Amino acid sequence: MIKNVKARVWAFDLEWVPDPMAGRLVYGLGDDLTDLEVMQEMWRRGGATEDDPQPYLKVNLCRVVSVAAVERRSRPDGTAALNLLSLPRDLDDVEQVAEAHVVGTFLDALSDHRPQLVGFNSSGADIPILLQRGLVLGLTAPGFCERPDKPWEGIDYFARASDWNIDLKDAVGSWGIASPSLHELAVQSGIPGKMDVDGAAVVDLGLMDDLRRIVQYNEFDALTTYLVWLRLAHFAGFLDDAAYRDEQALVEQL
């Protein structure tokens, strides 16, 4: 369960696809194979079956193509302001589309603003892929990596149950039969869940170079994550009924 709501909250989500370069390097695959052939070999080694030809790969074998976050900032009068942030900003700019720019820009923003992060399976996937791909790309992110001597003495994005990295999956159910999906929680709460795209379809969109739809899907997931967190904050007593209604209206305005 969440313990507090910080002055700046980012409900965030990342999208990633298999990285053919990672497949070539890790499995020693030659340049005679196309990127698609490399990815098919990555899926085969990742446990592909007839029923699941594109299994979920280790995150270090994937490249991040999009990051989205709903930012909530508390005003001095107690009200909130919302903003929707997403990367890459310019889908036609080759430099902005590059993974190093997407990951590096997000990590720099984290270092500058130090928000309270909210995600779904963020401890199990989003935080690890930011760390692992940051290493692979040769980036530096001291603000993201900074850890206090004791969890209660400062911002810590890596500690389990940290106030600064709220993983909704852990907060409401942890693992096993008690663990819901984001879609299951959302639709039962009157919040839109998955629509015409789901996580499995992101790979196909990547193969079609349809980055715009990936970013749109990413933004949608960030909004869904934010609305589920908002409902949890209301459930935990951080928002009364009137404030909860007001903040849902802010999402509609956004």
Side-chain angles (χ1 to χ4, degrees), residues 118-184:
V118 175
F120 196 90
N121 195 27
S122 51
S123 294
D126 298 276
I127 295 298
I129 197 171
L130 284 171
L131 171 59
Q132 293 172 20
R133 295 304 291 183
L135 285 172
V136 167
L137 294 164
L139 302 177
T140 179
F144 173 61
C145 296
E146 183 179 343
R147 304 193 68 183
D149 291 333
K150 300 175 182 177
W152 57 87
E153 291 182 343
I155 298 173
D156 192 336
Y157 292 127
F158 297 93
R160 282 283 182 179
S162 167
D163 291 350
W164 291 94
N165 174 25
I166 298 173
D167 187 336
L168 293 175
K169 183 174 183 178
D170 284 348
V172 303
S174 190
W175 299 92
I177 197 169
S179 178
S181 69
L182 180 62
H183 176 77
E184 289 167 345

Side-chain angles (χ1 to χ4, degrees), residues 146-247:
E146 183 179 343
R147 304 193 68 183
D149 291 333
K150 300 175 182 177
W152 57 87
E153 291 182 343
I155 298 173
D156 192 336
Y157 292 127
F158 297 93
R160 282 283 182 179
S162 167
D163 291 350
W164 291 94
N165 174 25
I166 298 173
D167 187 336
L168 293 175
K169 183 174 183 178
D170 284 348
V172 303
S174 190
W175 299 92
I177 197 169
S179 178
S181 69
L182 180 62
H183 176 77
E184 289 167 345
L185 271 182
V187 296
Q188 293 184 87
S189 302
I191 299 166
K194 306 294 183 183
M195 296 180 76
D196 62 331
V197 176
D198 60 21
V202 169
V203 173
D204 295 328
L205 292 174
L207 291 172
M208 294 185 291
D209 291 325
D210 195 346
L211 182 57
R212 187 170 305 278
R213 287 191 71 198
I214 293 177
V215 172
Q216 290 170 343
Y217 167 73
N218 194 187
E219 292 174 335
F220 193 89
D221 255 9
L223 282 161
T224 302
T225 300
Y226 178 77
L227 284 167
V228 171
W229 170 83
L230 193 64
R231 196 170 182 88
L232 184 61
H234 172 247
F235 177 79
F238 295 105
L239 299 171
D240 61 23
D241 292 348
Y244 180 47
R245 288 192 296 269
D246 289 345
E247 295 225 11

Side-chain angles (χ1 to χ4, degrees), residues 7-211:
R8 189 187 295 261
V9 174
W10 286 5
F12 80 114
D13 183 62
L14 278 67
E15 297 302 330
W16 54 82
V17 297
D19 180 11
M21 180 60 71
R24 294 181 194 280
L25 293 172
V26 172
Y27 299 126
L29 302 176
D31 292 335
D32 55 319
L33 297 180
T34 66
D35 284 354
L36 179 56
E37 290 171 330
V38 170
M39 287 190 285
Q40 288 171 337
E41 178 63 13
M42 293 168 72
W43 286 319
R44 186 188 71 79
R45 298 192 187 211
T49 64
E50 186 175 339
D51 293 333
D52 185 15
Q54 296 179 359
Y56 188 86
L57 297 177
K58 291 181 178 181
V59 293
N60 72 90
L61 298 177
C62 300
R63 62 183 179 89
V64 176
V65 293
S66 177
V67 182
V70 176
E71 179 187 55
R72 178 189 187 271
R73 288 179 290 110
S74 298
R75 293 191 175 110
D77 63 0
T79 61
L82 295 186
N83 192 20
L84 178 61
L85 315 168
S86 60
L87 297 166
R89 295 188 182 94
D90 185 349
L91 304 182
D92 297 318
D93 187 321
V94 175
E95 291 185 5
Q96 289 194 30
V97 168
E99 183 188 21
H101 179 85
V102 172
V103 175
T105 300
F106 185 68
L107 291 177
D108 286 345
L110 276 181
S111 297
D112 290 342
H113 301 295
R114 309 307 296 275
Q116 183 179 41
L117 291 177
V118 175
F120 196 90
N121 195 27
S122 51
S123 294
D126 298 276
I127 295 298
I129 197 171
L130 284 171
L131 171 59
Q132 293 172 20
R133 295 304 291 183
L135 285 172
V136 167
L137 294 164
L139 302 177
T140 179
F144 173 61
C145 296
E146 183 179 343
R147 304 193 68 183
D149 291 333
K150 300 175 182 177
W152 57 87
E153 291 182 343
I155 298 173
D156 192 336
Y157 292 127
F158 297 93
R160 282 283 182 179
S162 167
D163 291 350
W164 291 94
N165 174 25
I166 298 173
D167 187 336
L168 293 175
K169 183 174 183 178
D170 284 348
V172 303
S174 190
W175 299 92
I177 197 169
S179 178
S181 69
L182 180 62
H183 176 77
E184 289 167 345
L185 271 182
V187 296
Q188 293 184 87
S189 302
I191 299 166
K194 306 294 183 183
M195 296 180 76
D196 62 331
V197 176
D198 60 21
V202 169
V203 173
D204 295 328
L205 292 174
L207 291 172
M208 294 185 291
D209 291 325
D210 195 346
L211 182 57

